């Protein structure tokens, strides 16, 4: 099931394989914008095909509207494949770089905590260290919370990248958004356009 | 290998796509292309007076002919003027290819004279668009654009071509034209999954009170015979959407009109009372459903559509069938049992008798309804009918009795005032020998009547019926019924004399003010070989009924007391 957030909006994860051409991101963004869907995170990079990129979106919005967005994306000519993998068995990771204040006195403790969480330190300065955290969102969230007492100076997160688990592992159903068809009824109030 | 300019490649590609007419207006950024256009007499260029006229004419041409409509404009203001027509075509799935000039490649992004990011601006109102940065890509792009425009769920495609890309000379291999289109991300469905069709057939065979809701998809896929076969074989009453009008003959016993905001009461009631709705190529638009929570709650739904994003978008569907309407009906029809539904069909007849939505009341003043009925009678339902948007559009939809498939063209999705004149022009170009009537509002016609000149110049025998209430009639109606008679900005005091205006363009003008003049005037217009403007001065304070107010349901249906 989609995560339903405190404000009643749903959060869904989508993965798309798209042509690597100028303007493609604008087309995709335009579909989200028009429907009032917030892109909570977006990761884009090369795929196994030299001319196609793979994108992972985390989208937040009205449950029926986000539930339907994969179908709209699939209509874009340059979107070769798209699946809503929210309800599937997926592996997903996020990477974050966090710069934490670390003075003479606190540095040892910061590094100790980093080690416990298997977080690597990638840069050390006089007053701060930068750590690289890979994992799921909650691991990154807890690490950042933990570091608050020392002072978190900067956070840079990549957003999720996700992939369906391969067939050998115990999985959910396959990732066709078609399964959700009949439950995706528009639930917005004032559906009528009210126009003349 | 031959040396060719970009402009030549564009023209030759258009010829190969079977284009015979282009609606356009030149400007600096498209002049290199225009300088070659004259060498290709197969491509008849129609010089419009405003680019919105070009895109709306291309839309009318496309709907009437089933071919791709083509329009052209220069960069900047020329291109932005096309947008309303593109949006109209997008909403109603009409295949159009728009070609726009763009500033030279080197100037793009510099706010050069007449530079507009038209691919950016048209993102949400085109099915796809292109900015062609290399002359070598032109042939393939045009082929792709026509393919995308006309296949799957059709729609407008825009190709923006920088001036220097049109002018450049390249070594060109004719074989480029014949390269097949291959688009990994675009594979529109044709036939449907057998199980999905079987599930739909089962619902139809089990239904006691089925209704077919036939939409624009039936017309686009030319599935008239297949629709009729389904309806007759299982004796299923057919309601159409506004855009589905003329997908099923109005004089057929099973024809049950169109439902929704200004549809026939019996059509809305039939949908409400049905136990199964077979939606064929319609999109459960809000003008039909009203309040979706209360729409047709007693029925299961089958939804046949080529666009997966339409299925389940607004209404819960028990049997989704993804595919081309005609292909799907060919799969479905053999699986549907022959039956009669006698009681249900009789009940529908009863609804029609109890709710005579098409009865016209007595009136001393001329009524818009009377005008439409008189034209329908005079033309015996044989004309191609175009409309603007507003009350006259609804009266035309209600009172014209269509006999022929695909003979009704209206802007249903966008509701584009100003559609009436240019789209009629496009329809007449598609069918030079057919009688084309357009119903216009005195409001909408003033948005695009610059095309009177184009109609006169090209000697198009379009009959333009203005239902002149000196008002934005539909606005007046809403202010009357929904805004407590708080009338504002709804009436005109400075309308032109439309008869004199027509005559200024050397178009015949006829004014009609009384019901007993209708027949003679319509006859006179039909006998005249050229274009005619008929100024029907109709009663102003007249509302369209039936009416289900916006966002309400059939329970709030308002009928006229006769
Ligand atoms: C371009 C555009 N602007 C505004 C509207 C809103 N609108 C819908 S109907 C209408 C009145 C149309 O008046 P007219 O063309 O005279 O037709 P009537 O309703 O009087 O038959 C208006 C303003 C519209 N549909 N399209």
């Amino acid at each position: 099931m989609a995560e339903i957030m405190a404000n009643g909006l749903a959060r869904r994860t989508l993965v798309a394989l798209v042509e690597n051409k100028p303007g493609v991101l604008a087309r995709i963004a335009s579909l989200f914008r028009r429907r009032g869907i917030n892109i909570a995170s977006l990761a884009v990079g090369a795929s196994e095909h030299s001319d196609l990129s793979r994108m992972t979106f985390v989208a937040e919005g009205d449950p029926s509207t986000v539930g339907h967005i994969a179908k709209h994306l699939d209509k874009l000519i340059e979107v070769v494949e798209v699946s809503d993998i929210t309800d599937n068995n997926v592996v997903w990771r996020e990477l974050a770089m966090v710069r934490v204040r670390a003075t003479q006195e606190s540095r040892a403790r910061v590094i100790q905590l980093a080690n416990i969480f298997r977080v690597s330190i990638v840069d050390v300065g006089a007053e701060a260290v930068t750590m690289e955290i890979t994992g799921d969102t909650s691991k990154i969230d807890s690490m950042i919370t933990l570091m608050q007492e020392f002072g978190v100076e900067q956070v840079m997160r990549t957003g999720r990248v996700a992939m369906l688990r391969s067939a050998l592992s115990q999985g959910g159903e396959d990732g066709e958004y078609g399964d959700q068809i009949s439950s995706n009824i528009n639930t917005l109030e004032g559906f009528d356009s009210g126009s003349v | 290998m031959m040396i060719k300019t970009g402009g030549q490649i564009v023209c030759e590609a258009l010829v190969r796509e079977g284009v015979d007419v282009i609606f356009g207006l030149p400007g600096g950024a498209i002049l290199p292309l225009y300088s070659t256009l004259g060498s290709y007499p197969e491509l008849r260029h129609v010089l419009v007076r405003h680019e919105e006229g070009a895109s709306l004419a291309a839309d009318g041409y496309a709907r009437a002919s089933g071919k791709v409509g083509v329009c052209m404009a220069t960069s900047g203001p020329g291109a932005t003027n096309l947008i309303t027509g593109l949006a109209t075509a997008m909403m109603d799935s009409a295949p159009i290819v728009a070609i726009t000039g763009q500033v030279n490649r080197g100037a793009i992004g510099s706010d050069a004279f007449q530079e507009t990011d038209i691919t950016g601006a048209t993102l949400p109102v085109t099915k796809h668009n292109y900015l062609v940065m290399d002359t070598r890509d032109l042939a393939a792009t045009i082929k792709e654009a026509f393919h995308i425009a006309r296949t799957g769920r059709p729609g407008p495609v825009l190709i923006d071509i920088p001036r220097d890309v049109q002018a450049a000379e390249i070594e060109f291999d004719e074989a480029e034209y014949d390269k097949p289109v291959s688009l990994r991300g675009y594979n529109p469905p044709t036939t449907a999954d057998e199980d999905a069709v079987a599930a739909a057939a089962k619902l139809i065979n089990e239904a006691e009170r089925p209704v077919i809701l036939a939409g624009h998809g039936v017309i686009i896929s030319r599935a008239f015979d297949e629709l009729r076969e389904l309806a007759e074989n299982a004796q299923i009453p057919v309601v159409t959407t506004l855009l589905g009008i003329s997908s099923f003959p109005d004089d057929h016993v099973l024809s049950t009109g169109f439902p929704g905001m200004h549809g026939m009461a019996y059509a809305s009631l039939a949908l409400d009372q049905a136990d199964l709705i077979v939606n064929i190529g319609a999109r459960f638009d809000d003008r039909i459903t009203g309040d979706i929570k209360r729409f047709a709650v007693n029925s299961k739904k089958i939804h046949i559509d080529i666009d997966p994003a339409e299925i389940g978008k607004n209404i819960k569907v028990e049997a989704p069938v993804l595919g081309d309407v005609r292909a799907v009906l060919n799969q479905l029809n053999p699986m549907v049992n022959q039956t009669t539904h006698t009681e249900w069909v009789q009940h529908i007849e009863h609804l029609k008798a109890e709710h005579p939505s098409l009865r016209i009341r007595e009136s001393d003043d001329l009524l818009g309804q009377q005008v439409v009925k008189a034209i329908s009678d005079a033309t015996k339902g044989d004309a191609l009918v175009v409309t603007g948007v507003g009350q006259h559009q609804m009266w035309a939809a209600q009172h014209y009795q269509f006999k022929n498939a695909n003979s009704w063209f209206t802007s249903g999705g966008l509701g584009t005032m100003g559609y009436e004149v240019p789209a009629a022009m496009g329809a007449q170009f598609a069918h030079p020998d057919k009688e084309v009537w357009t119903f216009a509002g005195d409001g909408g016609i003033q948005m695009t009547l610059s095309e009177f000149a184009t109609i006169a110049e090209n000697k198009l025998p379009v009959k333009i019926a203005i239902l002149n209430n000196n008002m934005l009639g539909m606005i007046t109606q809403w202010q009357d019924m929904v805004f407590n008679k708080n009338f504002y900005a709804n009436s005109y005091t400075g309308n032109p004399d439309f008869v004199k205006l027509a005559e200024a363009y050397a178009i015949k003008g006829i004014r009609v003010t009384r019901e007993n003049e209708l027949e003679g005037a319509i006859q006179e217009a039909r006998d005249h070989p050229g274009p005619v403007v008929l100024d029907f001065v109709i009663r102003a304070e007249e509302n369209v009924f039936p009416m289900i107010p916006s966002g309400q349901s059939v329970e709030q249906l308002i009928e006229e007391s006769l």
Side-chain angles (χ1 to χ4, degrees):
Chain A
M1 280 305 290
E3 271 172 73
I4 300 290
M5 307 187 296
N7 53 9
L9 299 183
R11 178 182 289 156
R12 304 195 72 95
T13 307
L14 309 163
V15 174
L17 193 62
V18 308
E19 306 227 15
N20 187 2
K21 283 188 189 164
V24 175
L25 189 57
R27 282 180 210 283
I28 291 173
S30 168
L31 288 187
F32 283 89
R33 177 195 53 77
R34 194 185 149 192
R35 293 174 175 82
I37 298 176
N38 181 41
I39 301 182
S41 79
L42 168 63
V44 192
S47 72
E48 66 279 15
H49 309 278
S50 59
D51 51 349
L52 300 178
S53 308
R54 191 163 261 118
M55 300 184 169
T56 308
F57 304 88
V58 177
E60 298 170 350
D62 167 77
S64 66
T65 315
V66 246
H68 216 70
I69 194 71
K71 293 194 193 182
H72 290 292
L73 286 172
D74 206 16
K75 283 171 71 171
L76 293 177
I77 309 291
E78 288 137 341
V79 171
V80 174
E81 227 175 77
V82 56
S83 21
D84 181 329
I85 57 166
T86 315
D87 300 333
N88 300 110
N89 195 355
V90 293
V91 233
W92 58 266
R93 289 291 179 271
E94 189 178 341
L95 183 138
M97 295 218 276
V98 182
R99 188 187 303 143
V100 181
R101 268 185 68 76
T103 51
Q104 289 286 330
E105 307 81 68
S106 62
R107 182 176 297 156
R109 227 175 103 61
V110 170
I111 293 176
Q112 189 190 11
L113 281 169
N115 287 340
I116 293 171
F117 278 81
R118 298 210 178 95
V119 163
S120 42
I121 307 285
V122 290
D123 184 43
V124 181
E127 298 285 313
V129 298
T130 303
M131 45 185 72
E132 175 201 311
I133 318 170
T134 314
D136 59 18
T137 307
S138 65
K139 172 179 172 182
I140 296 171
D141 287 348
S142 0
M143 193 64 199
I144 293 171
T145 314
L146 210 57
M147 289 298 124
Q148 300 294 6
E149 72 163 286
F150 306 104
V152 174
E153 290 183 345
Q154 224 181 78
V155 174
M156 173 75 223
R157 301 172 71 148
T158 58
R160 283 180 197 182
V161 290
M163 199 175 263
L164 287 175
R165 283 185 190 277
S166 51
L168 270 181
S169 41
Q170 289 297 330
E173 273 120 65
D174 68 45
E176 270 296 300
Y177 50 81
D179 304 349
Q180 301 145 17
I181 280 176
S182 46
S183 56
N184 290 333
I185 304 150
N186 194 319
T187 52
L188 293 173
E189 288 302 322
F191 163 69
D192 187 280
S193 76
S195 304
V196 51
Chain B
M1 287 283 195
M2 284 176 70
I3 303 286
K4 282 196 201 301
T5 66
Q8 283 173 316
I9 296 173
V10 171
C11 292
E12 286 172 17
L14 292 178
V15 171
R16 281 161 189 263
E17 292 299 333
V19 174
D20 49 20
V21 53
I22 296 168
F23 303 95
L25 195 149
I30 200 165
L31 275 181
L33 172 54
Y34 268 78
S35 71
T36 32
L37 208 48
S39 321
Y40 296 86
E42 311 90 306
L43 302 170
R44 173 168 181 189
H45 181 268
V46 177
L47 180 60
V48 297
R49 298 303 194 268
H50 185 295
E51 293 87 348
E52 181 183 345
S55 51
L56 290 175
D59 174 299
Y61 172 89
R63 296 191 206 202
S65 67
K67 290 168 57 176
V68 177
V70 181
C71 54
M72 275 185 193
T74 191
S75 66
T80 56
N81 274 348
L82 292 177
I83 291 180
T84 301
L86 297 176
T88 304
M90 185 69 178
M91 282 292 248
D92 290 349
S93 315
I96 287 188
V97 168
I99 296 178
T100 49
Q102 182 53 279
V103 299
N104 287 328
R105 278 170 290 188
I108 290 178
S110 71
D111 301 325
F113 177 63
Q114 293 194 329
E115 181 192 0
T116 297
D117 170 13
I118 198 64
T119 45
T122 58
L123 264 189
V125 296
T126 50
K127 184 172 172 186
H128 195 53
N129 63 24
Y130 299 89
L131 169 62
V132 186
M133 292 294 273
D134 188 335
T135 306
R136 252 165 276 279
D137 296 336
L138 277 173
T141 304
I142 289 173
K143 197 158 183 190
E144 232 175 76
F146 275 80
H147 176 71
I148 291 170
R150 71 161 82 91
T151 55
R153 177 178 181 170
V157 179
L158 179 134
I159 310 172
D160 197 25
I161 313 177
R163 195 180 190 281
D164 54 342
V165 172
Q166 301 162 37
E169 292 188 343
I170 58 163
E171 287 257 339
F172 187 76
D173 180 359
E174 298 268 324
E176 286 283 315
Y177 291 128
D178 303 319
K179 275 204 193 144
V181 175
S182 114
L183 291 162
R184 281 178 290 196
Y186 180 71
N187 302 295
T190 48
T191 52
D193 175 60
E194 278 298 327
D195 293 343
V197 180
K202 183 160 182 285
L203 287 183
I204 295 175
N205 291 335
E206 287 168 0
E208 288 172 9
R209 302 186 309 280
V211 172
I212 290 172
L213 174 64
H216 201 199
V218 175
I219 292 177
I220 293 169
S221 80
R222 301 294 189 262
F224 311 113
D225 296 342
E226 292 77 4
L227 169 64
R228 196 168 169 153
E229 184 185 333
L230 175 65
E232 288 178 352
N233 187 30
Q235 289 295 298
I236 307 176
V238 178
V239 304
T240 70
T241 65
L242 182 70
L243 284 183
I245 289 175
S246 82
S247 65
F248 193 75
D250 277 332
D251 58 2
H252 195 287
V253 279
L254 291 168
S255 167
T256 312
F258 71 98
M261 184 172 286
H262 289 299
M264 291 71 156
Y266 45 83
S268 298
L269 290 165
L271 282 183
D272 186 57
Q273 296 171 10
D275 68 350
L276 175 71
I277 294 177
V278 188
N279 174 340
I280 310 180
R283 58 190 177 89
F284 287 125
D285 169 70
D286 64 81
R287 302 282 105 158
I288 285 193
T289 62
D291 179 359
I292 43 174
K293 291 193 196 69
R294 288 184 288 160
F295 171 72
V297 288
N298 305 309
S299 56
K300 293 188 171 160
K301 319 279 183 308
I302 295 171
H303 189 172
I304 304 172
D305 208 296
I306 199 162
D307 180 355
E310 285 302 342
I311 297 179
K313 185 176 79 174
N314 299 332
I315 297 289
K316 183 169 181 284
V317 171
E318 279 72 19
V321 187
L322 184 64
D324 170 68
V325 161
R326 186 161 168 199
V328 172
L329 288 181
N330 277 322
Q331 290 173 281
L332 180 68
N333 279 340
M335 299 171 151
V336 172
N337 301 337
Q338 193 171 349
T339 163
T340 55
H341 294 120
T342 316
E343 232 175 274
W344 173 235
V345 172
Q346 272 169 7
H347 177 70
I348 300 279
E349 284 309 307
H350 180 70
L351 288 179
K352 288 180 188 170
E354 284 222 311
H355 301 272
S357 302
L358 297 187
R359 192 184 295 164
I360 300 173
R361 65 183 174 79
E362 298 288 317
S363 160
D364 291 336
D365 303 319
L366 186 60
L367 300 179
Q369 302 89 303
Q370 296 168 338
V371 177
V372 176
K373 178 153 191 320
I375 293 173
S376 178
D377 289 346
T379 57
K380 302 199 173 61
D382 260 338
L384 300 183
V385 176
V386 184
T387 75
V389 170
Q391 293 187 312
H392 65 280
Q393 175 190 31
M394 293 301 126
W395 285 321
Q398 292 174 341
H399 295 280
Y400 198 94
Q401 295 298 301
F402 292 88
K403 274 228 303 272
N404 304 320
N406 194 32
S407 51
W408 159 255
F409 313 103
T410 197
S411 169
L414 198 67
T416 308
M417 283 171 76
Y419 187 75
E420 48 264 72
V421 173
M425 176 166 100
Q428 188 79 76
F429 268 108
H431 295 286
D433 301 328
K434 288 197 180 159
E435 186 171 344
V436 175
W437 279 82
T438 185
F439 291 98
D442 53 297
I445 202 166
Q446 294 186 71
M447 293 191 174
T448 47
L449 55 66
S450 46
E451 302 314 326
F452 276 12
T454 318
I455 285 177
E457 202 162 83
N458 289 280
K459 304 190 172 57
L460 300 174
V462 178
K463 313 301 175 203
I464 300 167
I466 306 175
L467 302 197
N468 184 358
N469 50 14
N470 276 297
M471 283 199 166
L472 298 170
M474 191 56 98
I475 298 301
T476 307
Q477 172 160 358
W478 277 50
Q479 290 175 339
D480 178 25
M481 297 180 68
V482 189
F483 290 89
N484 291 320
K485 302 192 185 294
N486 188 0
F487 297 112
Y488 188 72
N490 62 316
S491 74
Y492 294 120
T493 50
N495 265 349
D497 177 329
F498 288 107
V499 170
K500 280 194 191 149
L501 187 71
E503 285 163 2
Y505 287 96
I507 293 177
K508 186 181 176 70
I510 305 174
R511 178 162 298 113
V512 183
T513 55
R514 312 199 59 79
E515 195 188 355
N516 61 16
E517 298 164 4
L518 279 176
E519 225 184 282
I522 293 165
Q523 190 59 46
E524 189 183 343
R526 297 186 73 210
D527 290 342
H528 182 71
V532 181
V533 170
L534 294 111
D535 183 22
F536 294 102
V537 183
I538 60 167
R539 193 185 129 88
E541 288 80 26
E542 181 71 15
N543 289 338
V544 181
F545 291 108
M547 178 171 183
I548 299 175
S550 186
Q552 304 280 4
S553 82
V554 72
E555 292 151 39
Q556 281 79 36
L557 187 128
I558 307 166
E559 292 180 81
E560 189 172 27
S561 45
L562 293 165

